[in-house]
Amino acid sequence: MIIEIRNQVPYCKGRNFPKQKIPFNACDCHHHIYDPIRFSYIDTDLRNQPPATVDCYNLLKRKLGITRSVIVQPSAYGLDNRCTLDALTQLGKKVTRAIVVINNDISDSDLQKMDLMGVKGIRLNMTCGYKNSWDDIRLLVERIAPLGWCVCLWIDPDLLVEKKNFFEALPAPLVLDHRGNLPAGIGVNHPAFSLICHWMDIGKAWVKLSGYYFGSQKDDYSDTLLIGKEYAQSNPNQLLWGTDWPHPRCYTNCVPVPDDSLMLDELMDQVGDENIFYKTLVNNPAKLFRFE
């Protein structure tokens, strides 16, 4: 008799495994690593997120049955990508990619080194005080575009619509974090939704089906899943999935962390098809982040 050991994973509600069968090479396209003992946070970040190290994340990978992952540089580290790059090395380039936060002070040689390490994109976190000018952003994207990197956007949807022409002109694919940050209560009726769907149709944008718990009033997040269902109907070829572990928004707002197994199962509820489920977890991230 095989006994499943259901250890508690830090920053993850519950001990249950996903009910859905998870395919080999499934990818968590959005998680963070925090290691403040080895890598201090920037002085202006006063949230003091507790450690969420590679060892902790490996527990989550085993629980969910995830093979691959994409580390996203958290705002607590600003432009200091040492923790993210160290985690990339620990987790292994074969199964891991990273998204960094940089500006135009970075040298071309450092960009090349990051690319060889497994960095495949930059993040523009415009909800946490991003202050670079639009010209600086354009120049930066022009520099990373030849590497085949993407631009991950965590942005207010009103601003996304306002700067539509700017983002369309950027010479790199866009990745909309957490379903495009569509506000609860408005969701697919926000004009950003139709804009993002158009970008998906022309191959300009990808959407992460993640952060269901953002603004949800339900324990099972059922009140926010419609957004994901509509994206899946719009274009299943441009979908990604991510945990957002260790769920820093929950720590900052002093609310319970979500159930990552449930959120993975609810990916199937949104896409409604095993082939799309497989494509979202395996094929799409392999294409965008160039996994072998």
Side-chain angles (χ1 to χ4, degrees):
M1 180 177 66
I2 299 175
I3 300 176
E4 293 180 327
I5 301 176
R6 304 192 175 196
N7 292 330
Q8 183 66 55
V9 175
Y11 313 108
C12 179
K13 178 182 177 181
R15 298 184 180 183
N16 292 332
F17 298 109
K19 297 176 181 178
Q20 189 69 34
K21 183 179 179 181
I22 308 305
F24 181 66
N25 282 334
C27 185
D28 174 2
C29 291
H30 192 109
H31 73 93
H32 310 288
I33 296 295
Y34 294 86
D35 195 347
I37 305 302
R38 300 172 59 223
F39 304 100
S40 298
Y41 301 145
I42 56 176
D43 292 341
T44 54
D45 190 279
L46 304 178
R47 293 168 294 181
N48 293 319
Q49 167 76 36
T53 63
V54 168
D55 287 342
C56 292
Y57 182 69
N58 276 327
L59 293 175
L60 182 71
K61 285 183 72 176
R62 288 195 288 270
K63 174 180 179 175
L64 298 182
I66 295 295
T67 310
R68 297 167 169 168
S69 75
V70 181
I71 312 165
V72 176
Q73 168 82 347
S75 59
Y77 284 113
L79 296 171
D80 181 359
N81 292 282
R82 291 178 301 153
C83 181
T84 294
L85 296 178
D86 176 81
L88 174 56
T89 300
Q90 288 190 62
L91 288 166
K93 176 184 174 181
K94 184 176 181 180
V95 295
T96 316
R97 298 291 184 263
I99 305 297
V100 295
V101 176
I102 56 177
N103 61 21
N104 280 303
D105 291 336
I106 193 169
S107 67
D108 290 339
S109 62
D110 282 341
L111 286 176
Q112 292 287 348
K113 290 176 183 176
M114 285 184 173
D115 184 62
L116 291 174
M117 290 181 70
V119 173
K120 297 303 170 192
I122 61 172
R123 194 185 199 202
L124 302 179
N125 187 339
M126 296 183 172
T127 67
C128 290
Y130 188 88
K131 297 179 180 179
N132 281 17
S133 72
W134 296 104
D135 282 342
D136 285 339
I137 293 172
R138 177 180 54 78
L139 290 172
L140 182 59
V141 176
E142 288 174 353
R143 293 181 64 195
I144 61 100
L147 298 170
W149 291 10
C150 63
V151 178
C152 295
L153 293 174
W154 181 220
I155 185 173
D156 183 275
D158 291 333
L159 181 58
L160 187 73
V161 173
E162 177 187 337
K163 301 299 290 187
K164 167 183 177 292
N165 292 338
F166 174 84
F167 287 114
E168 286 183 346
L170 293 178
L174 306 176
V175 180
L176 281 302
D177 289 352
H178 310 314
R179 300 165 299 142
N181 200 17
L182 299 178
I186 300 177
V188 299
N189 295 317
H190 193 285
F193 175 76
S194 59
L195 174 61
I196 293 168
C197 288
H198 169 65
W199 285 348
M200 292 168 70
D201 287 341
I202 64 176
K204 177 66 178 178
W206 303 73
V207 172
K208 292 177 186 172
L209 299 184
S210 59
Y212 317 153
Y213 55 97
F214 291 7
S216 175
Q217 302 300 312
K218 302 285 188 179
D219 289 340
D220 62 357
Y221 330 120
S222 57
D223 55 340
T224 65
L225 297 184
L226 175 62
I227 296 172
K229 291 178 180 179
E230 293 292 336
Y231 276 130
Q233 290 182 17
S234 175
N235 194 327
N237 297 316
Q238 302 294 114
L239 299 178
L240 308 166
W241 178 85
T243 60
D244 192 38
W245 184 93
H247 315 295
R249 171 178 285 204
C250 294
Y251 177 77
T252 302
N253 295 332
C254 300
V255 298
V257 295
D259 182 337
D260 293 282
S261 293
L262 174 61
M263 288 196 296
L264 185 47
D265 284 333
E266 287 182 330
L267 173 61
M268 175 61 84
D269 295 338
Q270 292 169 89
V271 301
D273 179 274
E274 288 190 0
N275 290 329
I276 301 176
F277 185 76
Y278 183 91
K279 183 180 294 186
T280 303
L281 288 175
V282 182
N283 291 351
N284 293 349
K287 178 181 178 181
L288 177 63
F289 299 112
R290 287 179 285 157
F291 284 103
E292 295 178 4

